[in-house]
Amino acid sequence: MTLPTPNVSFEFFPPQSLEASFRLWDTLGTLAPLAPEFVSVTYGAGGTTRDLTHDAVKTIHGNYGVNVAAHLTCVDATREDTLAISDSYAQAGVTRIVALRGDPPKGASGFRPHPDGFASSVELVEALAQTGKFDIAVGAYPEPHPEAADLQACVDYLKRKVDAGATTAITQFFFETSSFLRFRDACAAAGITAQIIPGILPVNNWTRVRGFASRCGAVIPTWLDDAYAAAIRDGREQLLSTALCAELCTELLEEGVKDLHFYTLNSPDLTRDVCAALGVTPRVTLAEVA
Ligand code: FAD
């Protein structure tokens, strides 16, 4: 079976140092030629990168010829401040927002709404939708979010976000295709018609990714942990990552998925290699080669 070439999108985080800025521009220089549907820029946990996110979004929007989605969270901000940020995006021509409740700052026990802020992602989506200025994406959790009672609670909550005005959901990363398919089926059964884009994490560093997974509720199957133990021992971690990530994406495409969202962690190589394996290669115009 010949698989269709997927639409891809890439997530970056805003740089916090000069060196990190160069790394991000290098990452963009590698991945922007793959003609992504959009790229997105995260908003640091606890709202810590508010200004950096804002600057990075505007700079990418103005210089790279790609659609940019700005992440926005409810953490530690009044409604007025949050809507002022979204308004300045609209004025700059940025019309995609990834609307999230957000993670609390490091060390905090859990999410505590600002007294004058949005109390949940649903409230944020509602307010953004009311402006009529944005295409709104939200987070989704194929393996239950740590605060959710079970998978159905995540499906029900996603339904509330879609009913409030979200048009797209981007999932947390996962390592087994069956997790995504189970979630997609449950969403369909709940009447969710918004597009659900799988979030794909190419593994640059297994030890780091294990840490992310334990914090966000992503399941690590035993076979995967064993495979990385052997690959790290043999100095083949990157090779394993490319092969497994390309296989995961291929299985998703075989199941009818058309869009893939890559968590790049501002390191372009693995994402570029996986995209190449899926047939997503740099688009070179005739003017550039003639
Ligand atoms: P929500 O959907 O609001 O909540 C997650 C789950 O918790 C729900 O499915 C539901 O089961 C339960 N829940 C939450 N609130 C309620 C409620 N009031 N009533 C009942 N159940 C509830 N974090 C950042 O800080 N910055 C980012 O830039 C960022 N980008 C992300 C991008 C994506 C694609 C994803 C998937 C996550 C991202 N996160 C980011 C992490 C996210 O902020 C955390 O997972 C956060 O804990 C939940 O935010 P949310 O809006 O996705 O979840």
Side-chain angles (χ1 to χ4, degrees):
M1 175 170 65
T2 313
L3 290 173
T5 308
N7 303 314
V8 295
S9 54
F10 305 122
E11 181 185 289
F12 307 120
F13 55 82
Q16 303 208 42
S17 68
L18 191 58
E19 193 197 341
S21 298
F22 282 116
R23 202 173 325 125
L24 176 57
W25 309 141
D26 180 41
T27 301
L28 272 157
T30 303
L31 298 179
L34 304 187
E37 287 293 298
F38 66 93
V39 302
S40 74
V41 182
T42 63
Y43 203 76
T48 44
T49 65
R50 186 181 314 173
D51 294 341
L52 292 168
T53 299
H54 192 255
D55 291 351
V57 166
K58 285 191 173 172
T59 307
I60 296 169
H61 175 73
N63 293 285
Y64 280 88
V66 290
N67 288 317
V68 190
H71 291 214
L72 195 56
T73 76
C74 308
V75 178
D76 203 23
T78 64
R79 287 167 182 254
E80 203 182 354
D81 286 347
T82 306
L83 290 176
I85 296 171
S86 70
D87 203 47
S88 94
Y89 284 135
Q91 280 175 27
V94 173
T95 56
R96 291 176 189 237
I97 301 261
V98 182
L100 302 140
R101 187 199 70 185
D103 277 330
K106 260 190 194 143
S109 57
F111 172 76
R112 284 224 177 82
H114 185 289
D116 299 317
F118 294 110
S120 70
S121 52
V122 176
E123 285 190 6
L124 175 60
V125 171
E126 250 162 18
L128 291 171
Q130 267 165 22
T131 69
K133 295 176 181 169
F134 302 106
D135 202 347
I136 304 164
V138 290
Y141 298 87
E143 288 161 347
H145 183 278
E147 291 167 48
D150 53 24
L151 188 68
Q152 192 57 43
C154 287
V155 172
D156 294 344
Y157 209 66
L158 178 58
K159 174 91 167 64
R160 288 181 60 188
K161 296 195 279 191
V162 170
D163 290 346
T167 54
T168 310
I170 303 174
T171 76
Q172 187 55 276
F173 67 86
F174 55 89
F175 295 110
E176 298 209 87
T177 309
S178 55
S179 291
F180 177 80
L181 298 179
R182 203 176 306 121
F183 181 67
R184 190 175 67 173
D185 286 350
C187 288
I192 296 172
T193 52
Q195 186 189 23
I196 302 174
I197 303 179
I200 306 292
L201 178 63
V203 177
N204 264 310
N205 177 321
W206 182 240
T207 310
R208 203 169 154 213
V209 165
R210 279 182 117 268
F212 292 157
S214 73
R215 286 193 292 278
C216 73
V219 175
I220 298 209
T222 311
W223 66 263
L224 189 62
D225 216 15
D226 292 346
Y228 270 101
I232 291 166
R233 180 196 63 208
D234 298 341
R236 290 167 180 259
E237 190 179 6
Q238 300 295 303
L239 198 62
L240 179 69
S241 293
T242 311
L244 288 181
C245 191
E247 187 176 287
L248 176 67
C249 294
T250 302
E251 286 175 7
L252 291 166
L253 298 179
E254 284 169 354
E255 293 293 339
V257 166
K258 294 188 171 51
D259 293 68
L260 299 168
H261 183 73
F262 288 89
Y263 295 110
T264 73
L265 304 180
N266 295 13
S267 283
D269 295 356
L270 269 176
T271 299
R272 178 205 53 210
D273 292 350
V274 171
C275 283
L278 303 173
V280 181
T281 50
R283 299 227 180 129
V284 183
T285 62
L286 200 54
E288 285 171 285
V289 289

